[in-house]
Amino acid sequence: MTRTAAGEAFATRAVRAGQGHDETTMAHATPIYQTSTFVLGSTERGAAIFSGEVAGNAYSRVGNPTVGAVEAKAAALEGGEAAVAFASGMGAISAVLLSLLRAGDEVVILGPLYGGTRSLLEDLLSRFGVATRAVTDEELAGAIGPRTRMLYVETPTNPNLRVHDLDLIARVAREAGLVSVADNTFATPYLTRPIEHGIDIVVHSATKYLSGHGDLLGGVVIGSAEHMLEVRGMGLRQLGATLDPHAAYMLLRGMRTLHLRMEAHCRNARAVAEALRGRPGVLAVHYPGFADHPGFAVAARQMSDFGGMVSVELEGGRQAAAAFLDSLKLFENAVSLGDVASLACHPASTTHGHLPKAMLEAEGVTEGLVRLSIGVEAATDLVADVLEALATATRVAVGA
Ligand SMILES: Cc1ncc(COP(=O)(O)O)c(C=O)c1O
């Protein structure tokens, strides 16, 4: 049984945190408060809510009870003081960056990152005077300069499952007085809780494992009450990427079974990774649970299992990757991940396609790389599907 630092078992928090019966109606399920605004009661009370003197709902862009239940559950699962929910992962990430950075600041990243995040940093924030520098774990301690304000990391990384050391990142950030941010979308709080390693802020694309069923977009940020006040006050209130109450309800429902789904994702991912490893036509299988994965020791320390994602690098580059993807029958060729249904995609031409080729090659996002999000179907069917598709891809690579 996975226990969080705060004591209560993870499964109990997943099912119960943030949710209880509704005191007004005694409804058992969390109601969907599908309302844009809330009656303030009196001008005096309205002023007190808006000034932050008293807690209360005022306007759904900034707070809503159904969305609040998501926030309470996310904070409980990650072991943070507070959380703020958003309309998408990118909404959450842009809110964190824009709330906490100023012109002249530098963000040090450990790559690779999801293409959207990288592009937000390199292409958009650069216009507002925020610089980004990519370093390796080994370079990190010596890379901090006078302008560095934030360390930003994903672990395991999208799309090639590199593992970064959260203890190291938190230590470097603390010693230099920086804010550390970890995107925990791939690991989920069931496997890794970055705050327990000293990371300040956790971000998620809740579109993925937290919701788990590929039917909504959402994001969430977790951290100290002080940081979350800034993220809500600036990043949510001013930017307005607010989670809709109906999507919040579906997200809550998904989060209740995170622990059950993750067990199955992890089990199936190992089966698929082991089946593909060493096969003709396969140059590499990236899966942090293999003892010879460069990040295995760190993964074994900071993850309770190795996740539901596997990336496979095929001999024959883009042509082999396309032949493999086009031959899959159970896996659907689609971006996104963390769905109960298995998905596969070609990152170099989709999720990371807009980034410079040299950057992608340097960070191991090759033309032959296929990213697999392993679902919770029967492992035997998933293994049969990837092996059949591999046989086709291998024929393409040898020109048969
Ligand atoms: C690691 C990671 N972070 C953030 C995002 C962005 O999330 P969203 O698509 O919900 O905006 C993604 C999307 O794929 C992702 O994989």
Side-chain angles (χ1 to χ4, degrees), residues 21-93:
H21 65 265
D22 180 55
E23 289 295 344
T24 320
T25 61
M26 301 304 273
H28 166 66
T30 305
I32 306 173
Y33 289 91
Q34 197 71 44
T35 182
S36 54
T37 196
F38 297 84
V39 176
L40 298 173
S42 71
T43 308
E44 195 185 345
R45 182 169 176 272
I49 291 174
F50 271 80
S51 71
E53 264 169 63
V54 299
N57 298 302
Y59 189 54
S60 280
R61 172 155 39 82
V62 201
N64 172 288
T66 318
V67 176
V70 167
E71 294 169 342
K73 197 184 287 294
L77 293 184
E78 288 285 3
E81 283 177 1
V84 186
F86 289 87
S88 69
M90 287 313 299
I93 293 164

Side-chain angles (χ1 to χ4, degrees), residues 87-91 93 114 117 152 154 158 183 185-186 204-208 217-219 336-337 351 371:
S88 69
M90 287 313 299
I93 293 164
Y114 166 61
T117 308
Y152 190 102
E154 281 173 18
N158 185 355
D183 183 328
T185 300
F186 270 42
H204 277 276
S205 168
T207 313
K208 314 296 183 335
L217 287 171
S336 205
L337 57 108
T351 53
R371 189 187 76 188

